[in-house]
Amino acid sequence: MNKILPYLLLLLHLSVFSQTEKDSSSVVKVHYGHKGFELTTANDRFEMQIRARLQFRAATPGDQNPLTYDDFQTDNKTVFKINRARLKVGGHAYESWLKYYFEYELSQSNLLDFRVMLEKWDFLSFKAGQWKVEFSRERFISSGEQQMVDRSLINREFTMDRQQGIEVYGHLKGKGIIDFNYWVAALTGTGRGNTANDDNNLMYFGRLQWNFLGREVGFESSDLEFHEKPAAIIAFSAATNRSPYTRFSQAGGGYITGFEDGLDGQYRVNQNNLETAFVYRGFSGQAEWHHKNIFDKLNGDQKTQMRGYYFQGGYFFHYLLDWFPKKMEIAARYAEYKPNIDLAQNLETETSIACNWFFHGHACKLTGEGSYFSYHDKSLPYEGGWRFRLQLDISF
């Protein structure tokens, strides 16, 4: 509770700040909108949005994706847990284009996001702080707006997750197919919660997204809006970093299996991602293809190449079959991960099917999912197994 208290005091301070002014901003309007409870001064110079999210999950025989062959041999147990408990605060201060946002994980006492954005022009915006890097669509989409219970088998190995740094981004909107988004960032490259770099090498990241039908596909799964006109994107992302780490997660910097306990500047990691997404009349689809090179700078630049991809789609069958429940979506996903492309029969796969019931969009939904994982290695017998999960996600 002591770790949360400073943030609660900040909320209280900001909510009453305008009352100290002598003009019309001393009146604060309070209402509930799509971003939660919103406090706005009468002159609209200040706004604060406060939202909470809870995610309850049951899983058997265990919740985590298998990482090694031995994971298939482990007797896991059924899991019931609060998977996420978030407090989200955002808004603007002094000017409508001077925005701020932070997100706190209450169950683990982790400050996930804290950033300030200058978004005066659509074509040129700036951001500073800590946030989820826009490298991968699957990772950048909020865990509360996923189409499946959670992200795919390949997310752990390829995500850049949260980093600290600065970014330039914008929307270059032309006529027809001349429609692009871009992001360019310089980051510490040491993960969430780490304010210092381990050496003189920063992480550099870039993403270019082509909205080739003239309409964006937002960072959200499922076609809840029922797009009457098709929208689609093709995006390419690339990043380079040198650090002790070969992967990142909400916990910060970490290691892919086989690369444990790296030293400062030991690993040069170059990776790229080609992705696409499409929505139209109740159907949504997305896919990503990842390639990652890891160079061990302390061991003769030894190189390991990794690849992975997934594709998934979902559809509200009510639009095809009148008797099908209007609030139900059926979705499926297939993912493959190759830890080392130079080794034969070195492959992990995931096949999942899910059913979503949207009580109130992504803000309140129930998801059931079944997944089959397989492990192929020429030196080991084939192994596979099922996992079943049920999740309730609610935001307010």
Side-chain angles (χ1 to χ4, degrees):
M1 183 64 183
N2 290 336
K3 294 182 179 181
I4 304 174
L5 185 59
Y7 301 108
L8 296 179
L9 293 175
L10 174 62
L11 294 180
L12 179 62
H13 171 72
L14 291 174
S15 65
V16 301
F17 172 82
S18 60
Q19 297 182 18
T20 64
E21 298 186 357
K22 296 181 180 180
D23 57 17
S24 60
S25 66
S26 61
V27 178
V28 177
K29 300 177 290 183
V30 180
H31 72 283
Y32 185 83
H34 70 284
K35 293 185 178 181
F37 294 93
E38 300 180 6
L39 292 77
T40 310
T41 57
N43 60 6
D44 291 327
R45 291 187 64 202
F46 299 89
E47 181 179 80
M48 173 179 288
Q49 302 137 3
I50 305 173
R51 195 175 198 187
R53 179 161 70 89
L54 297 173
Q55 192 179 84
F56 304 92
R57 181 181 295 179
T60 185
D63 186 34
Q64 301 303 312
N65 295 340
L67 301 179
T68 67
Y69 182 85
D70 292 338
D71 290 338
F72 289 95
Q73 311 300 318
T74 303
D75 292 329
N76 295 312
K77 298 180 180 179
T78 300
V79 175
F80 295 96
K81 65 178 181 178
I82 298 177
N83 194 56
R84 293 177 174 92
R86 303 280 174 86
L87 175 65
K88 303 180 179 184
V89 178
H92 65 258
Y94 304 105
E95 302 289 349
S96 61
W97 47 266
L98 181 55
K99 302 177 181 180
Y100 63 91
Y101 179 85
F102 72 81
E103 184 172 341
Y104 196 86
E105 174 58 60
L106 299 171
S107 64
Q108 300 177 17
S109 296
N110 286 336
L111 182 57
L112 302 179
D113 289 60
F114 58 91
R115 60 183 187 265
V116 174
M117 295 83 71
L118 281 69
E119 298 182 342
K120 188 172 184 179
W121 308 285
D122 288 342
F123 68 91
L124 182 63
S125 298
F126 303 91
K127 176 162 55 180
Q130 176 175 281
W131 68 92
K132 252 189 308 189
V133 180
E134 299 87 348
F135 179 78
S136 163
R137 175 180 180 81
E138 179 184 40
R139 183 65 184 98
F140 192 76
I141 292 176
S142 169
S143 55
E145 297 179 342
Q146 294 286 324
Q147 194 164 46
M148 314 297 282
V149 167
D150 219 325
R151 300 174 179 95
S152 73
L153 173 76
I154 71 169
N155 175 72
R156 180 182 186 272
E157 277 68 29
F158 294 102
T159 178
M160 291 172 57
D161 215 82
R162 290 176 169 88
Q163 303 286 341
Q164 295 187 31
I166 57 175
E167 185 175 75
V168 180
Y169 57 102
H171 183 191
L172 306 176
K173 187 171 179 59
K175 294 183 179 180
I177 66 173
I178 311 302
D179 194 302
F180 295 88
N181 293 85
Y182 71 91
W183 296 261
V184 179
L187 309 155
T188 58
T190 47
R192 185 205 65 82
N194 199 333
T195 59
N197 196 11
D198 60 304
D199 52 24
N200 292 324
N201 297 282
L202 294 174
M203 172 186 283
Y204 297 100
F205 153 75
R207 173 186 172 98
L208 180 63
Q209 176 177 301
W210 180 28
N211 310 308
F212 60 89
L213 296 180
R215 290 173 290 276
E216 291 183 80
V217 180
F219 285 104
E220 182 182 66
S221 297
S222 307
D223 186 20
L224 291 169
E225 300 176 14
F226 189 75
H227 287 75
E228 291 287 359
K229 295 182 178 180
I233 63 110
I234 295 175
F236 178 77
S237 303
T240 183
N241 185 43
R242 185 172 175 178
S243 75
Y245 308 115
T246 51
R247 61 173 292 264
F248 297 96
S249 69
Q250 181 180 309
Y255 306 98
I256 293 173
T257 303
F259 295 89
E260 291 80 2
D261 303 323
L263 302 175
D264 288 353
Q266 180 170 355
Y267 299 114
R268 164 65 68 181
V269 178
N270 299 329
Q271 61 186 103
N272 53 69
N273 169 37
L274 179 65
E275 69 179 53
T276 185
F278 175 80
V279 290
Y280 181 55
R281 298 181 64 84
F283 173 81
S284 60
Q286 62 186 61
E288 297 179 15
W289 183 88
H290 291 263
H291 184 92
K292 186 172 185 174
N293 291 332
I294 301 175
F295 298 89
D296 190 337
K297 307 300 287 187
L298 302 185
N299 290 286
D301 257 0
Q302 182 178 345
K303 179 181 178 181
T304 302
Q305 298 185 75
M306 307 162 53
R307 287 180 185 165
Y309 72 87
Y310 79 88
F311 54 86
Q312 74 178 48
Y315 186 60
F316 290 88
F317 281 90
H318 170 77
Y319 298 118
L320 184 64
L321 306 169
D322 289 339
W323 54 266
F324 201 85
K326 188 175 182 179
K327 295 185 177 182
M328 181 181 291
E329 178 193 37
I330 303 298
R333 176 172 67 208
Y334 179 77
E336 284 193 1
Y337 168 54
K338 198 170 181 62
N340 190 331
I341 67 174
D342 296 323
L343 300 179
Q345 298 180 22
N346 176 234
L347 184 67
E348 301 171 29
T349 70
E350 172 206 345
T351 304
S352 298
I353 187 167
C355 176
N356 292 308
W357 187 280
F358 295 93
F359 297 100
H360 191 74
H362 283 295
C364 185
K365 68 178 179 181
L366 181 68
T367 304
E369 178 190 85
S371 300
Y372 185 80
F373 296 92
S374 65
Y375 193 99
H376 303 261
D377 191 295
K378 66 178 181 179
S379 63
L380 297 168
Y382 168 85
E383 189 61 85
W386 284 93
R387 180 191 65 197
F388 299 94
R389 299 192 290 188
L390 183 67
Q391 180 170 281
L392 175 65
D393 205 302
I394 181 169
S395 299
F396 53 90

